[in-house]
Amino acid sequence: MVTSYTFTHSVETDATPEAIWALYEDVSSWPSWDAQAEKITRDGPFEAGTTGTMTFVDQEPMPYRLTKVDPMREFVDETPVGALVVRVSHLLTPLPDGRLRIDYSAEIDGPEDQTQQVGPMITADFPETMASLIALAEERSS
C-alpha cells in the first residue's frame, strides 16, 4: 500500500527573504547550514525542472529535481530514495510585523512501512537545520 508521511516545521525570524533565498540558491552553501549535507550540486539555473545531486553524510549521491521555484517565496525539491519519493517544500511568508516565517514541509510517498520508518529520520534535523540557516542568513545580512 502506498501512503504518505508528512511533517512541517515552522520558525519565525528577523532575517530577510533575500538573505534566506540567497542561501537557498547557492547550493554549495547548503553544507554550511545543513549538518547532514556533504555536497549539493545543481545542473542549471535555480528554476523548476533543474536537476542535481545531494550527498548526505555516509550516503551515496542521490539525484534530485526542483519541481517548483517561486523566487523569494518557495521552492520544492524532489528526491527518489529507493521505493520512496521525498518532496521538501521551503516556504517563506512575510509577516505583518516585518518578520519572516519559514516553513519546511516534507511529504514522503511510498510503501507505508518505509514512509513511517524513514520519514522521522529525514525530518528529525529540520529544527536544527532551520536554526543554522537563520543564523547564517542573519550573520550575512548584518
Side-chain angles (χ1 to χ4, degrees), residues 2 17 19 21 25 34 39 45 72 76 91 101-103 107 109 112 115 118 130 134:
V2 173
W21 198 260
E25 281 189 324
D34 184 339
K39 182 179 180 184
M72 300 295 161
V76 178
L91 178 65
R101 187 178 74 228
I102 306 172
D103 297 299
E107 180 180 296
D109 296 328
E112 183 173 11
T115 61
V118 173
M130 293 172 75
I134 289 167

Side-chain angles (χ1 to χ4, degrees), residues 20-87:
I20 297 291
W21 198 260
L23 291 169
Y24 286 163
E25 281 189 324
D26 179 9
V27 298
S28 68
S29 78
W30 289 14
S32 66
W33 51 266
D34 184 339
Q36 297 303 311
E38 285 187 350
K39 182 179 180 184
I40 311 296
T41 66
R42 189 179 74 220
D43 304 322
F46 198 70
E47 63 186 32
T50 295
T51 60
T53 59
M54 296 183 182
T55 305
F56 294 99
V57 175
D58 298 327
Q59 295 185 18
E60 293 297 314
M62 296 181 288
Y64 75 91
R65 181 170 58 97
L66 297 173
T67 59
K68 178 179 183 179
V69 177
D70 183 2
M72 300 295 161
R73 176 82 175 126
E74 180 183 24
F75 83 93
V76 178
D77 58 76
E78 180 178 279
T79 306
V81 182
L84 304 176
V85 176
V86 179
R87 282 178 214 84

